């Protein structure tokens, strides 16, 4: 007797035949562990997400474990090497390369194209998650710098229209240098801002040639970016030998005689806390680009979601990532946390928040630092900062840039050779 005949004629055994309704064995319950970073998402957001996800995915329980940023790199590396890693991990967008380089991440290229709508992702989140044309990091949220400005000082200087391109921005900044005010406060070693100017010119900090990375600060395009930085930095009194945190530029802005700084919108709240008289006087606009048609390039910070290669629940983990990266939950997260969504088409979700809206407009021209797994070693003793100070103090830019490029190249390639040995 065939299996089909047995199932059709033996009523007592119907529940044992997988071909008939109600006959499939009950799916095994599972818990999906997700590591998220501290302050990336509120408890209220996680509660809403968990309730809906578990309602739509029977027999699946979500367990969110919040991790501190301090020391997270070694902790993630250890987890990826273990036999029981978390199923989904939030990582900084610029850190994906170093984890993928160790061979511990799932390749999500197919899912990116088929399920996640990867064609519309912000480049600054998507590109660092893509290694050798394979997508390992799925963009989750972004944040980037904007210009925070004093509305009252712009008005006093007769500036009625916000700058639409670099030329107008330089002119407006120069016009703001009146009555003892600084048109802009720009620290000499703000290398993230310099990076945007370099990208605007078509340059890069470093380039990959078949897996061999080299510094490129000495390229013609990169030198043009440094030239513009020098012009803008010279319109204020920011220190040439320090970055934006020494002293904190929010503290400097709060003193009341600075018209502009370049920072994430959240910095405005710090300024207002230090100087309540500035409440209602601060505005935001994207960094102007070379033409009014395109905002200036900016460094995109933020997070990607990755799935460890050794997870036992790959399918369920993908469903979690798919939901977190979906339109509904991207809009919810952006509104809840004042982030930029992972897709340019979702920017309208934050249109009601002036600072976040400016950030979202600028994010379409966002980039990330070089996707070398060794870039963190460059930043540890950053030669770009030293290069910037030299140029601002009068050193020939081409000579200083060539030296800085050589230092970057030496670090990237030296570390690579050590690992091969």
């Amino acid at each position: 007797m065939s299996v089909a005949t047995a199932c059709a004629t033996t009523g007592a055994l119907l529940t044992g035949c997988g071909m008939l309704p109600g006959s499939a064995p009950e799916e095994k319950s599972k818990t999906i562990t997700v590591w998220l970073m501290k302050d990336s998402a509120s408890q209220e957001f996680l509660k809403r997400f968990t309730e809906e996800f578990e309602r739509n995915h029977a027999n699946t329980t979500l367990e969110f474990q919040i991790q501190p940023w301090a020391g997270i790199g070694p902790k993630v590396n250890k987890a990826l090497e273990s036999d029981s890693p978390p199923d989904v991990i939030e990582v900084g967008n610029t850190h994906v390369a170093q984890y993928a380089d160790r061979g511990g991440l799932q390749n999500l290229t197919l899912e990116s194209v088929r399920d996640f709508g990867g064609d519309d992702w912000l480049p600054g989140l998507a590109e660092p998650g893509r290694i050798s044309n394979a997508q390992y990091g799925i963009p989750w949220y972004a944040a980037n710098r904007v210009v925070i400005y004093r509305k009252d000082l712009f008005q006093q200087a007769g500036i009625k229209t916000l700058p639409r391109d670099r030329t107008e921005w330089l002119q407006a900044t120069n016009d703001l240098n009146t009555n003892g005010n600084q048109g802009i406060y720009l620290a000499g070693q703000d290398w993230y801002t310099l990076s945007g100017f370099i990208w605007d010119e078509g340059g890069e900090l470093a380039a990959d040639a078949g897996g061999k990375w080299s510094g490129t600060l000495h390229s013609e395009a990169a030198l043009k970016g440094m030239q513009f930085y020098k012009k803008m930095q010279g319109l204020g009194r920011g220190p040439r030998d320090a970055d934006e945190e020494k002293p904190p530029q929010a503290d400097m802005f709060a003193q009341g005689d600075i018209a502009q700084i370049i920072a994430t919108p959240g910095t405005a709240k710090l300024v207002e806390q230090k100087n309540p008289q500035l409440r209602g006087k601060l505005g935001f606009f994207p960094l102007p680009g070379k033409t009014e048609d395109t905002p200036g390039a900016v460094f995109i910070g933020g997070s990607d979601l990755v799935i460890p290669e050794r997870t036992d629940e790959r399918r369920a983990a993908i469903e979690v990532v798919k939901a977190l990266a979906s339109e509904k939950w991207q809009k919810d997260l952006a509104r809840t946390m004042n982030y930029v969504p992972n897709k340019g088409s979702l920017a309208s979700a934050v249109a009601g928040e002036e600072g976040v809206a400016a950030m979202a407009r600028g994010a379409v021209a966002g980039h990330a630092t070089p996707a070398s797994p060794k870039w963190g070693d460059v930043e540890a003793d950053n030669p770009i900062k030293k290069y910037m100070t030299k140029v601002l103090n009068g050193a020939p830019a081409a000579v200083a840039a060539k030296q800085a490029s050589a230092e970057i190249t030496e670090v990237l390639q030296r570390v690579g050779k050590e690992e091969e040995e």
Side-chain angles (χ1 to χ4, degrees), residues 49-71:
F49 179 83
T50 299
E51 288 176 350
E52 178 169 303
F53 186 88
E54 291 182 353
R55 186 167 59 248
N56 294 334
H57 297 79
N59 303 307
T60 300
T61 300
L62 292 184
E63 179 183 344
F64 287 100
Q65 297 181 1
I66 308 303
Q67 308 294 328
W69 281 106

Side-chain angles (χ1 to χ4, degrees), residues 177 182-190 229-230 232-244 246-247 249 252 258 260-261 389 392-393:
N177 274 316
Q182 296 184 62
I184 191 169
Y185 180 91
L186 182 58
Q189 296 183 350
D190 186 350
Y229 189 96
K230 185 175 183 179
M232 185 60 72
Q233 201 273 340
L235 294 175
R237 297 190 291 273
R240 296 174 181 174
D241 59 351
D243 62 25
E244 63 275 18
K246 301 176 184 177
Q249 62 177 345
M252 303 303 296
I258 294 171
Q260 303 172 93
I261 59 171
T389 295
L392 294 177
N393 282 334

Side-chain angles (χ1 to χ4, degrees), residues 107-119:
N107 184 335
L108 301 174
T109 306
L110 173 61
E111 289 79 11
S112 299
V113 175
R114 185 187 62 195
D115 304 324
F116 300 152
D119 290 343

Side-chain angles (χ1 to χ4, degrees), residues 46 162 198 209 212 281 285 297 315 318 348 363 389 402 406 408:
L46 295 181
L162 293 175
I198 289 174
K212 190 173 183 179
K281 296 180 180 179
F285 60 89
R315 182 178 299 179
I318 288 174
S348 60
T389 295
K402 193 170 184 180
I408 292 172

Side-chain angles (χ1 to χ4, degrees), residues 272-289:
E272 292 172 350
Q273 289 172 5
K274 294 177 181 297
N275 186 352
Q277 293 182 359
L278 294 181
R279 285 180 180 146
K281 296 180 180 179
L282 303 182
F284 311 85
F285 60 89
L287 274 70

